[in-house]
Amino acid sequence: MANGILKYKKYQKKDNNNPNSEPLWYARAVQDRTVDFDGLVTHMSEHNSPYSRGVIHGVLTDMLDCVKELVLDGKNVRLGDLGLFSINLKTKGAVAAEDWKVASHLKGVRLNVRNTKMWSNTELRNSCTLQELSKYSGGEETPAEEGEADDAAA
């Protein structure tokens, strides 16, 4: 697996269960850009691939359509080491089974992606270096020094 630099920002937040608590500092992963579908296709075709952008685009488009079809048909789809795709329901409870109705108790349908061994939380943490996007002084944000990385933060 390739190594990368995961960028983060610190933020302060009170404990939701105790509104009178002192706010604590946490870190949040920050993405500095989004690679769209065409960007992924180009990236893949530039990695010494014998396949053209068009072939990669077509195969990935067909794969996405098939994954959606299979998942909506109630199947789990494992895409190698990327993850296991499945559907999950968000629902409200009913007192009795016969009282539970889709119209009133279904709150949402969600796509789940569960990681695999290669993409496990431990493996991801071991494969990246953390870099703070900005520093904080007395609760105020100040720009991070260029090239500064923090491997200890998690």
Side-chain angles (χ1 to χ4, degrees):
M1 178 183 284
N3 288 334
I5 297 176
L6 179 63
K7 297 162 189 75
Y8 70 93
K9 283 187 118 178
K10 293 179 191 171
Y11 68 98
Q12 247 182 335
K13 178 181 153 188
K14 287 187 176 188
D15 181 352
N16 290 339
N17 297 324
N18 184 2
N20 297 326
S21 66
E22 289 294 318
L24 299 176
W25 286 94
Y26 299 89
R28 173 182 292 132
V30 177
Q31 292 72 35
D32 56 1
R33 66 184 176 278
T34 298
V35 176
D36 64 8
F37 186 77
D38 286 333
L40 174 62
V41 168
T42 299
H43 181 83
M44 290 175 66
S45 70
E46 291 172 349
H47 273 228
N48 299 317
S49 173
Y51 304 107
S52 70
R53 287 185 75 254
V55 169
I56 294 171
H57 186 278
V59 169
L60 289 178
T61 299
D62 288 350
M63 181 200 70
L64 292 173
D65 290 344
C66 289
V67 168
K68 183 177 181 181
E69 176 186 344
L70 291 167
V71 167
L72 290 174
D73 194 35
K75 295 172 177 62
N76 291 326
V77 177
R78 181 177 304 281
L79 289 181
D81 286 330
L82 177 61
L84 180 71
F85 292 71
S86 61
I87 289 288
N88 184 31
L89 301 178
K90 180 133 174 113
T91 63
K92 294 190 298 187
V95 175
E98 57 274 5
D99 294 338
W100 197 95
K101 306 289 183 223
V102 171
S104 56
H105 293 87
L106 179 66
K107 294 169 68 176
V109 178
R110 295 191 171 139
L111 176 66
N112 284 343
V113 181
R114 289 175 273 170
N115 56 9
T116 61
K117 183 179 179 192
M118 185 175 187
W119 286 70
S120 71
N121 296 338
T122 301
E123 183 61 32
L124 291 172
R125 175 62 183 103
N126 291 335
S127 297
C128 69
T129 300
L130 298 179
Q131 180 180 32
E132 187 174 353
L133 284 183
S134 59
K135 292 196 152 259
Y136 298 81
S137 172
E140 294 182 15
E141 203 171 308
T142 58
E145 292 180 25
E146 201 169 312
E148 190 170 284
D150 180 5
D151 289 323

